[in-house]
Amino acid sequence: MKDLTPAKSTLDPIEIASRDEIESLQLERLKWSLRHAYENVPFYRSSFDAAGVHPDDLKSLADLAKFPFTVKTDLRDNYPFGMFAVPREQVARIHASSGTTGQPTVVGYTQGDLDNWASVVARSLRAAGMTRGDMLHNAYGYGLFTGGLGIHLGADALGLSTYPISGGMTPRQVRLIEDFKPKGITVTPSYALSILDEFAAQGMDPRKSSLEVGIFGAEPWTNAMRLEIEQAFDMHAVDIYGLSEVMGPGVSMECVETKDGLHIWEDHFFPEIVNPETGEPVADGEQGELVFTSLTKEAFPIIRYRTRDLTRLLPGTARTMRRMEKVTGRSDDMIILRGVNVFPTQIEEALMATSGLAPHFQIELSRPDRMDQMRILCECADNSVSGEQRAAAAKALSAQIKQTVGISVSVEVADVGGVPRSEGKAVRILDKRPKA
Ligand code: DLL
């Protein structure tokens, strides 16, 4: 793999400013953001009033902990535009979550917000090793989802040659990688695996493709998966994180030269980690739930938003801005199986450590005889694997899970293609337990 480290001279000065400089900018912007939310969004005015706090009470960054949290249901209760802080005509762009399980969450951006979004995504793509004139294959979905259009904004700002292929039509994904010869690909890690399979189906070697870096996010993925993808494509694999409520992709980004967690673009997004049960802030370095406050957003300021994503904050390395460790999962994706907390990423890790299996999986939960059961549906690496070898792989995976996670599961090893493929975010959990 080529060294893609960006030249220091190309970074935004704030990326490598001193902590003092970063914190004084944050304090100034935080004061503005709290006041902006309080004065323009009735929801924030009443939630601050109910908690007995006023924007003037913020004298230091630590004072933010006095302010109330915002949660997903607050956004749903104010559907569609109740959380907007500017007149509707000043909203230049609207995105929304899929809303498959109820009311979609709607977010808005002024032109100024779009400019800031472009700048943090450009910074993220540069941190991945992309530079002006490089070609990008953007396979995140275009539409109400922030992935496709968010990446596109930043790619334009950085001066890349981008083609908006979006997700789906996998044979065409491979065809264009072959024909256009992009340097980078932006895609969910699970869809990257589908593209990888398609290379094999077409009898082509992905290691010979032009790709030098993959920029993967929108769902959790493990370091074991990173190694698998890097090996398979002979390219760098880096992590990009974000969420619609806070902006979209580009809230934080891993640097290609260190691959040691994601630098949060702290000049726009202020992070905290809180204990998910008590809501109390915890010290940097401790695990908990990530909470974000926007520092510059005009149309949709967000104050102390509970992301439900679990991680911890670490000091800066390649940049002075703090890092967040790779997200282990969401608190609402945590399965409690017979008293043990399990995340899909732990199953992914065990699967990657077992030979003879492909990296695709789904977790099925059922409750026969009032006891929760977990079944892992996975695939053999290729169909020539004999029945005996499959049984051995299933046994090895369940032993690995027993040893590392501490739970007993059954494993089914299907033929190649037996696990449904994703074209965007993978569906990892099928919950067939009776609803309470
Ligand atoms: O997934 C934005 C995005 C698009 C990020 C493309 C990166 C690349 P939402 O659809 O609102 O936004 O989903 C946000 O996805 O709270 C996390 O649970 C999860 N997520 C996003 N990036 C990562 C990541 C986009 N790198 C939710 N690792 C977040 C783990 C991630 N989880």
Side-chain angles (χ1 to χ4, degrees), residues 38-352:
Y38 186 76
E39 286 175 357
N40 297 296
V41 183
F43 164 79
Y44 285 116
R45 178 169 290 254
S46 52
S47 82
F48 289 13
D49 286 350
V53 285
H54 186 272
D56 289 345
D57 296 335
L58 186 108
K59 308 272 189 251
S60 70
L61 292 173
D63 288 337
L64 183 60
K66 296 179 187 157
F67 287 77
F69 291 120
T70 306
V71 294
K72 187 125 188 151
T73 48
D74 295 325
L75 310 190
R76 293 206 170 124
D77 293 346
N78 288 284
Y79 176 85
F81 304 142
M83 300 294 279
F84 288 10
V86 297
R88 225 277 307 125
E89 314 77 71
Q90 289 173 31
V91 175
R93 175 80 69 77
I94 293 168
H95 280 282
S97 69
S98 60
T100 40
T101 52
Q103 197 89 278
T105 309
V106 179
V107 296
Y109 308 76
T110 61
Q111 187 53 51
D113 293 332
L114 292 179
D115 293 345
N116 283 332
W117 192 11
S119 110
V120 290
V121 173
R123 214 187 260 180
S124 304
L125 295 170
R126 192 175 52 222
M130 298 293 287
T131 48
R132 179 167 295 282
D134 287 341
M135 190 179 288
L136 181 68
H137 178 108
N138 185 15
Y140 285 118
Y142 280 67
L144 287 174
F145 173 55
T146 52
L149 284 158
I151 293 290
H152 200 112
L153 267 178
D156 280 352
L158 187 59
L160 305 184
S161 318
T162 309
Y163 52 98
I165 186 160
S166 196
M169 293 198 261
T170 315
R172 191 179 67 173
Q173 303 272 345
V174 172
R175 174 90 202 260
L176 295 200
I177 292 170
E178 279 304 290
D179 294 350
F180 292 5
K181 308 209 176 338
K183 170 172 161 183
I185 179 169
T186 37
V187 63
T188 59
S190 58
Y191 191 44
L193 294 178
S194 307
I195 295 177
L196 190 59
D197 285 351
E198 185 60 29
F199 266 94
Q202 296 189 20
M204 286 183 330
D205 181 0
R207 292 180 61 87
K208 296 208 172 103
S209 84
S210 58
L211 292 171
E212 292 176 33
V213 61
I215 299 160
F216 302 111
E219 61 186 8
W221 55 301
T222 58
N223 279 318
M225 181 71 83
R226 184 208 306 276
L227 294 179
E228 169 102 9
I229 293 177
E230 288 193 332
Q231 272 294 320
F233 280 101
D234 187 27
M235 70 174 179
H236 296 279
V238 283
D239 199 357
I240 184 164
Y241 169 90
L243 65 167
S244 332
E245 296 86 341
V246 173
M247 188 68 110
V251 171
S252 65
M253 177 72 204
E254 199 166 45
C255 293
V256 71
E257 63 270 42
T258 43
K259 295 183 191 155
D260 58 353
L262 302 92
H263 287 273
I264 297 167
W265 302 132
E266 284 194 81
D267 49 339
H268 293 281
F269 315 106
F270 187 81
E272 296 171 89
I273 301 285
V274 303
N275 176 316
E277 262 103 59
T278 64
E280 283 303 310
V282 304
D284 283 12
E286 279 182 46
Q287 283 280 353
E289 179 181 342
L290 185 58
V291 170
F292 273 113
T293 299
S294 63
L295 297 178
T296 52
K297 285 207 315 174
E298 296 169 340
F300 193 90
I302 188 104
I303 311 298
R304 300 199 86 205
Y305 185 67
R306 305 266 315 233
T307 65
R308 298 195 161 268
D309 293 322
L310 302 171
T311 181
R312 59 194 185 122
L313 292 178
L314 300 166
T317 50
R319 307 286 186 276
T320 37
M321 297 196 184
R322 280 176 292 176
R323 286 167 301 148
M324 53 187 261
E325 199 169 54
K326 231 172 175 342
V327 171
T328 28
R330 294 175 56 80
S331 53
D332 38 13
D333 273 352
M334 187 176 81
I335 302 158
I336 305 178
L337 193 82
R338 301 189 289 271
V340 181
N341 297 351
V342 188
F343 288 101
T345 46
Q346 291 172 289
I347 303 301
E348 181 176 300
E349 244 159 37
L351 181 78
M352 307 301 290

